Amino acid sequence: MSALGFGCWAIGGEWQDADGQPLGWGKVDDEESVRAIRRALDLGVTFFDTADVYGTGHSEHVLGRALGKRRDDVVLATKWGNVFDADTRTLTGGDDSPEHARRALTASLRRLGTDRIDLYQLHLADADPVRAAELREVCEEFVREGLIRAYAWSTDDPERAAVFARGEHCAAVQHLANVLQDAPEMFALGEETGLASVVRSPLAMGLLSGKRRAQRPLEAGDIRSRPPFWLQGFDGSGADPAWLARVDALRDVLTSDGRTPAQGALAWLWARSPRAVPIPGFRSVAQAEENAGALEKGPLTEEQMAEVERILGR
């Protein structure tokens, strides 16, 4: 599996919660998404992460179509736990029952056009740990049946992640981390247990791309235009100026050795933990090429990492 994955949230297109809150990243061009996935494959990216709820099934459809006959060349990850109405593209709730896990898996296999999922992830970050232990055993059943190869929990709580980590075929934990938002407890858990850290939001929802500017409005269907409580770095009128100031302060070190800011942010994660597999999002071939280009540059040096800490005052 490549040290870099591609996250497929954005290519799901527009969707919303029951109150009309946008949960996607705005409009997408499916043909461009397919081209971007295939370009990533050509550039050595072999890990793709999606979820059944992204675009209420649309992201899985697009990813499955793009991979086509190259399915066996990649590690394919998806998630379950959310309930949605695909006709209205609306998130309607969550379901942590074992019965739903099997229904969701069957539906994901169909949308992705495959006979197995390589990494199946619980997508309910705050699920009850006792129920999660039951779901861990359900995942072990799926492994025995050949429906999945391994499983993980997408959560930022190390105690919850540790519940899944006790399972024989738990291979990873998915958690938030980036140069602005370190996750020492989650990285420590991965290193102690041998789990991969599948790192979501490695570019801080686009802030670390270096292309965001304060007070630049976002399109109405973009989750960042009306940020929910858990989405930091955006204030409803665009990117938060205080966050952008930190990005600007880091620009020189992140763009060292010919990197773009995004490539520098990915390089920071690889230096932060040898088990980190960042999964930046993408909506275009150009973004796919830029993100994949980080692989050639490798991790930041110890000196560069120390400079980051000095700049951020950590």
Side-chain angles (χ1 to χ4, degrees):
M1 185 176 87
S2 54
L4 176 71
F6 269 31
C8 299
W9 178 8
I11 66 167
E14 294 182 283
W15 52 296
Q16 63 188 359
D17 69 11
D19 297 322
Q21 162 72 40
L23 296 174
W25 288 61
K27 292 180 173 62
V28 289
D29 177 342
D30 291 345
E31 298 309 314
E32 180 73 359
S33 299
V34 168
R35 285 191 292 269
I37 290 164
R38 292 175 178 168
R39 181 64 176 141
L41 281 165
D42 291 340
L43 294 171
V45 175
T46 61
F47 178 51
F48 292 87
D49 174 273
T50 186
D52 59 0
V53 76
Y54 294 162
T56 59
H58 191 66
S59 175
E60 288 185 330
H61 276 300
V62 172
L63 179 57
R65 178 183 148 211
L67 293 176
K69 293 179 180 178
R70 300 180 72 176
R71 161 66 183 97
D72 292 344
D73 297 339
V74 306
V75 175
L76 187 55
T78 193
K79 310 180 196 77
W80 94 96
N82 291 292
V83 181
F84 52 85
D85 182 334
D87 291 334
T88 60
R89 288 205 168 203
T90 302
L91 171 70
T92 57
D95 189 338
D96 66 358
S97 69
E99 295 78 16
H100 177 69
R102 187 171 290 276
R103 286 194 301 269
L105 176 56
T106 301
S108 286
L109 291 169
R110 184 182 68 250
R111 284 189 292 264
L112 286 161
T114 185
D115 61 356
R116 84 276 180 202
I117 302 299
D118 298 307
L119 184 68
Y120 200 41
Q121 301 161 104
L122 177 59
H123 206 184
L124 301 173
D126 298 324
D128 177 72
V130 174
R131 174 50 68 91
E134 185 179 353
L135 292 173
R136 181 190 68 211
E137 297 313 306
V138 170
C139 285
E140 288 289 343
E141 289 179 21
F142 294 158
V143 172
R144 287 191 292 271
E145 293 172 32
L147 297 173
I148 70 173
R149 295 179 62 192
Y151 53 86
W153 192 346
S154 179
T155 179
D156 295 318
D157 180 351
E159 293 185 7
R160 281 182 165 83
V163 172
F164 258 40
R166 288 193 280 273
E168 181 184 355
H169 291 91
C170 182
V173 57
Q174 181 167 148
H175 63 87
L176 181 148
N178 56 63
V179 64
L180 300 175
Q181 299 166 285
D182 197 2
E185 289 184 320
M186 299 306 294
F187 283 125
L189 175 72
E191 286 161 25
E192 289 163 11
T193 58
L195 300 180
S197 277
V198 177
V199 180
R200 57 183 150 76
S201 202
L203 303 182
M205 302 290 281
L207 291 176
L208 287 162
S209 70
K211 297 161 188 168
R212 286 267 136 230
R213 289 291 173 265
Q215 310 307 310
R216 181 186 293 174
L218 293 137
E219 62 180 294
D222 190 321
I223 189 171
R224 297 169 297 179
S225 69
R226 289 170 54 193
F229 71 92
W230 51 264
L231 200 169
Q232 296 182 286
F234 294 85
D235 59 13
S237 62
D240 185 326
W243 283 63
L244 286 177
R246 281 184 281 163
V247 174
D248 285 340
L250 291 168
R251 185 175 295 270
D252 285 349
V253 66
L254 293 183
T255 56
S256 58
D257 305 312
R259 296 180 176 93
T260 66
Q263 290 170 345
L266 297 172
W268 181 87
L269 285 162
W270 288 320
R272 178 64 181 82
S273 170
R275 309 198 70 79
V277 182
I279 51 169
F282 64 98
R283 282 194 285 180
S284 69
V285 171
Q287 288 173 329
E289 291 176 338
E290 180 180 0
N291 292 340
L295 286 165
E296 297 174 17
K297 307 283 187 181
L300 296 183
T301 64
E302 288 184 20
E303 293 77 14
Q304 289 163 338
M305 293 294 282
E307 178 67 3
V308 167
E309 296 306 296
R310 185 193 69 75
I311 291 167
L312 294 177
R314 290 199 293 229

